[in-house]
Amino acid sequence: MKRKSKPVNDVILQTAAIIIFFIIVIFSIDLFFAGHYSPGGGFIGGLMTSSALVLLLLAFDSQTLKTVLPIDYRLMTATGLLIALGTSLHSIFWGRPFLTHAYDKFHLPLLGEQTLHTAIAFDLGVYLVVIGVTMTIIQTIGESE
Amino acid sequence: MINLPIFPIVIPALAAIIMMFMPKRVVIQRAMALGALVLTLIVSLFLVHTVSIDGIQTLNLGDWMAPFGITLVSDMLSALLVTTSTLLTLFVVWFAVHYFFESYEGNYLYVAMLFLLVGVNGAFTTGDIFNLFVFFEVFLMSSYVLIVLGGRGVQLRESIKYLLVNIIASALFVMSVALLYSVTGTLNLADLAMKIPLIENQNVITAIGVMFIIVFGMKGALVPLHYWLPGAYVVAPTPILAMFGALLTKVGVYSIFRTYTLLFDGNGTFLQTFLMVLAVLTIFIGMTGAIAYNDVKLIIIYNIMIAVGVILYGISVNTQTSLEGSLYYLIHDMLIKAVLFMLVGMMIGITKSGLLRDMGGLITRFPMLGWTFFVAALSLAGIPPLSGFFGKLLIVSGGMDEGELFAPILVLLSSLFVLFSVMKIFMYGFWGEAKREYDGPLAPFAKRLVIPVFLLLAVSVAYGFGAEWIHPYITQAIEPLVSPEIYIDAVLKE
């Protein structure tokens, strides 16, 4: 594939992409946290975040994305799997069956009293795996000549 | 320790995930893979011990009661199969460490092999039919990776066929589960076993049973669903082929074992005849293929089909004796097929050709390889003190007790064909004159490679000689199959 010698001028696309990127990411985080009580969760949140990254890929190129977000998505997949498995494993040490979840109320700075559930850590694992896998697929297909 | 049944699944998974962080550090990968497998083997042996003392071990994941959550059930059948599959994965990985080059190993090879074991162990342990499907997908995905790794043209071609067949089979699996769920409203195997006899229209259940046999027959290469097997297996590199030949088809066989005895009341119904006819056809086509070919890999691949047919015949007869025979033969066959595939892979690696007419006289340069192959061949055919004998004996006597004559004689005849086909490899490959200098890529490593194969064969021979000692375990494994109430009570704990 030959690059065009004359750079294309897509100021509108790039400017819009930067703004929309943040809106999509915030929406995906909202979806991720909404998962327990309303539609959403790790899978759809992860897909939405990676779609925001794909938008950056379309507006700029893969090299730019790498400099802005220097993330190895394969390691991200592995991290996600490790978090998910670790969350499932923790109950073993308390003598409970595998995958037993726990929750408690915590007093967090800024947020006040909040209930935290280990299912969110499992979901975080799913979220990272989905982003990692999607971006690995897109990057490897995009970069192979 | 209530979590014992999960450990043979979690340990290789955890090791594989940690190994994903450093795909290029080949030495660490090898050490971690072998270490995790040794640990898994110890845990699964402990599991066998626990099950033999305390009976069936169940684990309700997430502390949800039995029909509502996922239950893992380790009865003796699944504990024995988990131990066998872990044991042979350990030896195959040991073989692979010497067999592959570093550039090949750096592409997540051991990660995929460990995930394959995760899927297989999970499929053996689960007590939920949809979870069974998920574990099927786990090991199928790993097998797609393993079959295509290396990227030679033939691998790409055959992996497309393999993928297509397995995707269709998986879709059928989902449909069968959906149908079963719509009829009974539950997915837990023990709960299904309780609800199915209450269904008024038993013809629906028979139809679902046939669908399940088609699905598992596609995974386990039953005739007429076997067409993908020879091509897909012949292109895989030797250690991968050894894992596939030993594990993948046997998970299909195990699933038929489990569903046929637990869910569908087999005796005297259409389902029994159906399974029996398919088993006999499989033996027949396997025999034809085993003597027809001149390619050493294909000969052993068709021997898989004979073994699957023999085991399924024993299952379809569905008596205490024949089921014991089937289980005994299943474990023997998993071990011995891995041994044989590694041995013929070494022969091909040394002579640079898979065809018998290009080999000859290997015994003078590689005596250890030759005699290991000889013992493995006799064991495969079922010569009395070796491990293939007792299983077939029990299957044949189980069939005879039910007043059948044709199929038991066919099983005996198939032994003759098996012996003929592997002795053909031995005589043409190891005896006679060397056709040329054998300096293939594996020739310098042959001495190191033969050690894991020899040890695995030693386990298999010990399994044959220790048949009397193994027998109580086999009997205990068959108990919940003959009387499903034991299984149901253990899971639902009324």
Side-chain angles (χ1 to χ4, degrees):
Chain A
M1 203 173 77
K2 274 190 85 173
R3 292 193 74 88
K4 286 186 193 121
S5 52
K6 208 169 120 189
V8 190
N9 189 352
D10 25 72
V11 175
I12 298 178
L13 176 64
Q14 291 183 346
T15 316
I18 291 170
I19 297 165
I20 294 171
F21 170 77
F22 287 104
I23 298 174
I24 298 178
V25 167
I26 287 168
F27 182 43
S28 75
I29 291 173
D30 179 56
L31 275 176
F32 171 74
F33 281 110
H36 204 81
Y37 292 109
S38 45
F43 186 78
I44 185 72
L47 270 186
M48 196 69 88
T49 308
S50 40
S51 78
L53 294 171
V54 170
L55 180 68
L56 284 192
L57 265 182
L58 287 176
F60 301 92
D61 59 359
S62 63
Q63 206 51 51
T64 320
L65 188 68
K66 257 185 200 156
T67 33
V68 177
L69 292 171
I71 299 171
D72 186 340
Y73 290 103
R74 296 172 194 214
L75 294 188
M76 197 174 189
T77 314
T79 315
L81 283 172
L82 200 60
I83 291 173
L85 194 64
T87 320
S88 318
L89 276 175
H90 86 277
S91 54
I92 288 182
F93 300 106
W94 309 104
R96 314 287 297 165
F98 182 76
L99 261 176
T100 309
H101 287 289
Y103 67 93
D104 202 356
K105 287 189 175 14
F106 289 97
H107 194 80
L108 300 175
L110 293 179
L111 295 171
E113 182 130 311
Q114 291 288 334
T115 312
L116 290 184
H117 195 287
T118 46
I120 196 90
F122 190 87
D123 241 14
L124 181 68
V126 176
Y127 179 80
L128 292 178
V129 169
V130 171
I131 299 176
V133 169
T134 319
M135 293 312 290
T136 310
I137 292 171
I138 288 169
Q139 278 190 338
T140 42
I141 292 175
E143 283 167 12
S144 66
E145 295 284 311
Chain B
M1 187 77 191
I2 49 166
N3 282 301
L4 196 55
I6 195 82
F7 280 118
I9 307 170
V10 163
I11 295 171
L14 193 61
I17 290 168
I18 294 172
M19 281 155 66
M20 282 173 75
F21 283 102
M22 41 200 170
K24 299 294 170 196
R25 309 281 289 274
V26 173
V27 180
I28 299 179
Q29 297 250 321
R30 290 169 178 169
M32 276 200 74
L34 287 173
L37 285 168
V38 169
L39 198 61
T40 318
L41 184 63
I42 293 169
V43 169
S44 54
L45 284 172
F46 183 62
L47 181 64
V48 169
H49 177 71
T50 314
V51 173
S52 76
I53 290 173
D54 298 341
I56 299 175
Q57 299 287 309
T58 63
L59 170 63
N60 294 322
L61 294 188
D63 227 356
W64 295 97
M65 288 324 293
F68 306 113
I70 294 172
T71 312
L72 295 184
V73 187
S74 272
D75 58 352
M76 189 48 92
L77 173 64
S78 72
L80 283 177
L81 292 175
V82 162
T83 311
T84 314
S85 53
T86 311
L87 181 80
L88 65 90
T89 311
L90 174 64
F91 284 107
V92 170
V93 169
W94 185 356
F95 185 86
V97 164
H98 295 307
Y99 183 90
F100 285 122
F101 301 109
E102 286 203 6
S103 56
Y104 191 93
E105 291 168 284
N107 291 313
Y108 297 95
L109 171 74
Y110 297 119
V111 176
M113 282 174 118
L114 285 183
F115 270 122
L116 191 120
L117 183 68
V118 171
V120 169
N121 278 353
F124 285 147
T125 314
T126 186
D128 181 287
I129 198 139
F130 195 77
N131 203 231
L132 181 69
F133 168 76
V134 174
F135 278 121
F136 260 81
E137 289 304 304
V138 170
F139 73 72
L140 283 173
M141 299 262 173
S142 318
S143 74
Y144 302 150
V145 174
L146 288 172
I147 204 169
V148 84
L149 203 59
R152 288 181 297 133
V154 280
Q155 282 181 311
L156 296 178
R157 189 188 67 213
E158 292 301 331
S159 67
I160 287 189
K161 292 182 197 167
Y162 180 71
L163 238 152
L164 271 177
V165 168
N166 277 305
I167 286 173
I168 291 168
S170 298
L172 263 177
F173 195 170
V174 176
M175 286 185 224
S176 316
V177 171
L179 209 52
L180 194 58
Y181 185 70
S182 72
V183 174
T184 59
T186 180
L187 290 171
N188 186 299
L189 282 173
D191 203 29
L192 277 173
M194 268 207 337
K195 295 246 169 79
I196 281 179
L198 307 177
I199 306 291
E200 278 177 27
N201 189 354
Q202 283 293 325
N203 292 334
V204 179
I205 300 298
T206 306
I208 296 171
V210 169
M211 274 181 85
F212 271 115
I213 287 180
I214 289 173
V215 168
F216 297 138
M218 251 169 162
K219 315 276 186 195
L222 271 183
V223 171
L225 308 162
H226 68 289
Y227 45 85
W228 56 272
L229 177 93
Y233 278 19
V234 88
V235 298
T238 303
I240 311 297
L241 175 61
M243 267 187 107
F244 283 15
L247 292 178
L248 294 194
T249 50
K250 306 305 183 295
V251 187
V253 171
Y254 163 80
S255 309
I256 292 179
F257 226 123
R258 186 62 87 195
T259 51
Y260 183 82
T261 52
L262 192 62
L263 303 187
F264 310 110
D265 180 24
N267 284 346
T269 57
F270 170 73
L271 217 53
Q272 185 176 28
T273 324
F274 184 70
L275 192 57
M276 215 173 263
V277 169
L278 290 190
V280 165
L281 275 177
T282 310
I283 300 177
F284 195 72
I285 299 288
M287 274 159 53
T288 318
I291 59 166
Y293 284 96
N294 194 20
D295 183 317
V296 287
K297 268 190 186 176
L298 276 174
I299 291 174
I300 309 293
I301 286 169
Y302 277 99
N303 272 310
I304 297 181
M305 283 175 60
I306 300 180
V308 167
V310 169
I311 296 166
L312 283 178
Y313 173 69
I315 297 173
S316 72
V317 172
N318 202 7
T319 60
Q320 169 91 24
T321 320
S322 73
L323 287 175
E324 270 179 28
S326 284
L327 177 57
Y328 201 92
Y329 199 75
L330 179 61
I331 294 174
H332 146 77
D333 193 63
M334 286 166 82
L335 295 173
I336 206 74
K337 283 285 147 54
V339 169
L340 278 170
F341 276 122
M342 289 193 273
L343 287 170
V344 296
M346 283 179 68
M347 289 170 74
I348 294 171
I350 290 166
T351 60
K352 286 193 283 193
S353 164
L355 298 178
L356 279 177
R357 61 169 170 272
D358 298 331
M359 297 178 180
L362 279 169
I363 198 101
T364 48
R365 251 191 86 187
F366 304 98
M368 181 80 168
L369 178 66
W371 294 116
T372 310
F373 187 88
F374 183 70
V375 176
L378 291 186
S379 180
L380 182 71
I383 305 295
L386 298 166
S387 58
F389 172 68
F390 300 97
K392 255 183 195 163
L393 178 73
L394 290 171
I395 290 172
V396 168
S397 77
M400 294 271 196
D401 290 345
E402 290 293 291
E404 288 183 42
L405 209 57
F406 173 69
I409 287 177
L410 187 71
V411 169
L412 290 177
L413 201 62
S414 78
S415 280
L416 201 62
F417 277 71
V418 167
L419 187 64
F420 174 73
S421 66
V422 282
M423 276 304 137
K424 197 169 72 177
I425 301 179
F426 183 71
M427 287 167 67
Y428 284 95
F430 289 97
W431 286 359
E433 290 293 310
K435 298 279 161 50
R436 55 170 191 272
E437 273 295 296
Y438 295 133
D439 51 356
L442 284 193
F445 308 110
K447 281 208 169 61
R448 261 187 285 165
L449 280 169
V450 89
I451 296 169
V453 186
F454 181 78
L455 289 177
L456 190 55
L457 182 68
V459 172
S460 161
V461 170
Y463 179 66
F465 277 92
E468 199 64 32
W469 183 73
I470 304 275
H471 193 254
Y473 293 92
I474 302 278
T475 316
Q476 198 192 353
I478 295 307
E479 269 171 19
L481 301 183
V482 179
S483 42
E485 307 82 51
I486 301 176
Y487 186 93
I488 297 170
D489 286 346
V491 175
L492 296 178
K493 291 191 191 94
E494 300 277 301

